[in-house]
Amino acid sequence: MSKKSKKNYCSFCGRSTEDLPDVIASPNDDAFICPECVEICHAMTDKTNLKDTGTKKKKEIISNLKVPIPAEIKKKLDKYVIAQDGVKKTLSVAVHNHYKRLIHSAGKKKKNDVEIEKSNVLLLGKTGTGKTLVAKTLAKILDVPFAISDATTLTEAGYVGEDVENIILRLVRAADYNIEKAQIGIIYIDEIDKIGRRTDNVSITRDVSGEGVQQALLKIIEGTIANIPPKGGRKHPEQEYLRVDTSNILFICGGAFVGIDQMIQRRIGTHVLGFHTDTKTDEDILPETLSENMDNLTDFIEPEDLLHFGLIPELIGRLPIAISMRDLKKEDLISILTEPKNALVKQFKQLFVMQGVKLHYTKGALEALAEKSIKRKTGARGLRSIMEKIMMDVMYDLPSKKDIKICTVDKNAVIGKAQPKFE
């Protein structure tokens, strides 16, 4: 029933109905509601329905998760990641427990059930050891949204740079703006070591891209309802935000932590001071397991080492699993070139197959490639740039030559003494 009256007022907002279009009146004409209040009520009921629908969707997504056992996760990781067995085992267990925790939380009915907290991961290792690859492969195995962010671009709110909330926005975009799916994803924060505290001394200037970012990351990593600007950029009061719960997002932080091995050396006392160093050797001073692994001192990292490096205690506490990536040896780099599903040699062979040419790398060529990468100290990441440089002239000339069937790359071609051979 619609009615317009000069004497009546909207029972909700109290405005006079004199200048309003038709208002809705109760059957007894003793209560009225204006069109604007109708719209507000409609929006409120829609939000309630959306909330209920979102909860149902979230439970449905979690219940559809297929979590492999740790041995299966590691087996799949082995197809893409060479060496790093200890890291793959630890991550397999951590990821398995994390998603089992979600399934348990979604299905539990008793209020007194034990709530399992998530265990975020810190990866330490030199460039090219496979930190990003491990995280990316895990997300692919579990079929969950995955996003990579660089910690070096982040600053405190109000300063030039990126807000920490943009980390979550990348994950939301990776999930095609499906908030429920994004809330069970994996975020890899690279270069976490670059936001270390600059100095232990108190300074009158603010460390807006170091300690300030660590403070801003605390609640997001631990778990909170974050307000995310949907278009990125800085926050504005008039902007509508996406509300994302980060309590079920697994955070994997990675960094090279250059120089932390020297801090570990000082802590465990691997150096003998003075000129007479023949009284005790390193093997006498160190435990047997440690003296055998002097090349990988980061295996013995302790929270106090991370504290001295510049991470704040609160952030260290939110990254309970700290794993060290081992330096890649010559044999590992040769395996990386040939064994994984997306191995570089396989990629280049496929490119040549498209031109109708069979590409062959000799054993000596593979060894020379590995040795070159070790000299550059760029790990597996340097292999592609070396191969691209070697094959550049060949790939330039190949499309214009129709009579070539086989291309062979030997050791001399790698070290620059000759060109690849054609047949």
Side-chain angles (χ1 to χ4, degrees):
M1 180 180 176
S2 298
K3 193 175 271 189
K4 184 174 179 180
S5 172
K6 294 183 180 180
K7 299 177 182 179
N8 296 318
Y9 299 87
C10 175
S11 302
F12 287 81
C13 64
R15 286 185 296 179
S16 170
T17 58
E18 183 178 356
D19 300 321
L20 293 173
D22 287 350
V23 294
I24 300 171
S26 67
N28 299 325
D29 289 347
D30 57 357
F32 302 88
I33 181 170
C34 67
E36 288 188 20
C37 289
V38 170
E39 286 183 15
I40 292 168
C41 293
H42 179 67
M44 286 172 68
T45 53
D46 265 8
K47 281 182 182 177
T48 307
N49 291 334
L50 281 170
K51 190 177 179 181
D52 293 339
T53 307
T55 306
K56 288 178 183 176
K57 278 184 181 179
K58 185 179 177 180
K59 287 186 176 180
E60 189 180 335
I61 289 169
I62 292 173
S63 62
N64 289 334
L65 271 175
K66 293 179 181 177
V67 185
I69 61 173
E72 287 179 12
I73 295 174
K74 185 185 176 295
K75 191 176 179 181
K76 290 178 181 179
L77 281 172
D78 288 337
K79 294 179 182 179
Y80 296 91
V81 184
I82 298 299
Q84 314 296 359
D85 282 341
V87 174
K88 288 185 285 190
K89 279 183 181 177
T90 308
L91 276 175
S92 298
V93 172
V95 168
H96 174 80
N97 289 343
H98 175 74
Y99 285 101
K100 276 290 181 187
R101 159 187 169 268
L102 296 192
I103 293 168
H104 169 78
S105 300
K108 74 176 184 180
K109 295 178 182 178
K110 295 180 182 179
K111 291 183 179 179
N112 60 350
D113 263 1
V114 176
E115 290 188 8
I116 306 167
E117 295 182 358
K118 66 174 175 175
S119 297
N120 298 304
V121 181
L122 176 64
L123 288 177
L124 300 92
K126 295 178 182 177
T127 180
T129 50
K131 299 187 294 295
T132 310
L133 179 63
V134 169
K136 196 182 291 185
T137 309
L138 277 173
K140 193 184 295 182
I141 291 168
L142 294 161
D143 191 26
V144 294
F146 175 75
I148 301 176
S149 292
D150 187 356
T152 55
T153 61
L154 302 174
T155 57
E156 266 190 271
Y159 292 86
V160 174
E162 280 194 287
D163 279 341
V164 291
E165 285 83 6
N166 287 346
I167 292 173
I168 312 297
L169 178 62
R170 288 191 181 92
L171 186 67
V172 172
R173 285 174 176 166
D176 292 328
Y177 287 89
N178 184 333
I179 303 295
E180 287 75 25
K181 198 170 182 183
Q183 288 176 161
I184 59 164
I186 297 175
I187 291 178
Y188 178 71
I189 305 177
D190 203 5
E191 309 293 354
I192 196 74
D193 55 319
K194 304 302 187 292
I195 60 169
R197 240 182 335 206
R198 303 292 181 263
T199 175
D200 288 333
N201 299 325
V202 179
S203 174
I204 58 170
T205 58
R206 297 190 70 176
D207 190 6
V208 298
S209 61
E211 185 178 355
V213 175
Q214 293 187 54
Q215 299 283 1
L217 283 170
L218 294 179
K219 286 305 291 179
I220 287 179
I221 290 178
E222 184 181 20
T224 187
I225 306 293
N227 291 322
I228 314 299
K231 295 182 181 179
R234 288 298 183 187
K235 290 183 178 178
H236 300 287
E238 67 277 5
Q239 206 173 17
E240 287 190 15
Y241 300 126
L242 303 173
R243 292 174 64 80
V244 181
D245 185 359
T246 66
S247 55
N248 292 331
I249 295 173
L250 181 65
F251 286 86
I252 301 175
C253 301
F257 289 89
V258 177
I260 202 167
D261 51 344
Q262 295 168 7
M263 294 177 184
I264 298 170
Q265 275 186 334
R266 285 197 293 271
R267 175 172 56 83
I268 59 181
T270 60
H271 292 296
V272 180
L273 298 177
F275 296 102
H276 300 287
T277 58
D278 56 344
T279 54
K280 283 188 178 182
T281 63
D282 284 350
E283 285 74 13
D284 296 324
I285 298 169
L286 302 175
E288 185 179 346
T289 54
L290 184 55
S291 59
E292 291 172 359
N293 294 280
M294 286 298 293
D295 292 336
N296 291 285
L297 280 169
T298 46
D299 287 347
F300 306 93
I301 192 153
E302 294 289 340
E304 62 184 275
D305 302 315
L306 296 170
L307 188 62
H308 287 309
F309 191 86
L311 296 189
I312 61 176
E314 299 92 329
L315 185 61
I316 296 168
R318 285 164 173 79
L319 300 168
I321 302 174
I323 325 169
S324 173
M325 306 286 287
R326 291 184 170 274
D327 292 347
L328 296 172
K329 297 178 181 177
K330 181 180 172 181
E331 297 76 22
D332 299 327
L333 291 169
I334 292 171
S335 298
I336 287 168
L337 284 167
T338 56
E339 291 179 15
K341 275 192 172 183
N342 55 345
L344 282 171
V345 168
K346 292 178 183 177
Q347 291 181 37
F348 275 90
K349 282 185 175 181
Q350 187 60 37
L351 283 172
F352 275 67
V353 165
M354 294 174 187
Q355 298 289 339
V357 178
K358 186 178 179 181
L359 178 63
H360 175 65
Y361 283 87
T362 64
K363 187 179 178 181
L366 295 174
E367 289 176 354
L369 282 166
E371 288 167 3
K372 239 182 178 183
S373 182
I374 290 169
K375 284 180 183 177
R376 288 190 178 189
K377 296 183 179 180
T378 51
R381 192 172 276 115
L383 290 170
R384 177 174 281 279
S385 61
I386 296 167
M387 291 181 75
E388 289 279 2
K389 190 174 181 180
I390 294 165
M391 306 304 297
M392 185 59 67
D393 290 337
V394 177
M395 290 189 291
Y396 178 80
D397 294 329
L398 197 63
S400 57
K401 296 181 179 180
K402 306 296 181 185
D403 55 340
I404 296 171
K405 298 295 179 186
I406 299 172
C407 176
T408 305
V409 179
D410 57 13
K411 184 178 179 179
N412 288 330
V414 174
I415 62 177
K417 288 186 177 179
Q419 288 292 320
K421 297 173 183 176
F422 298 106
E423 294 178 25

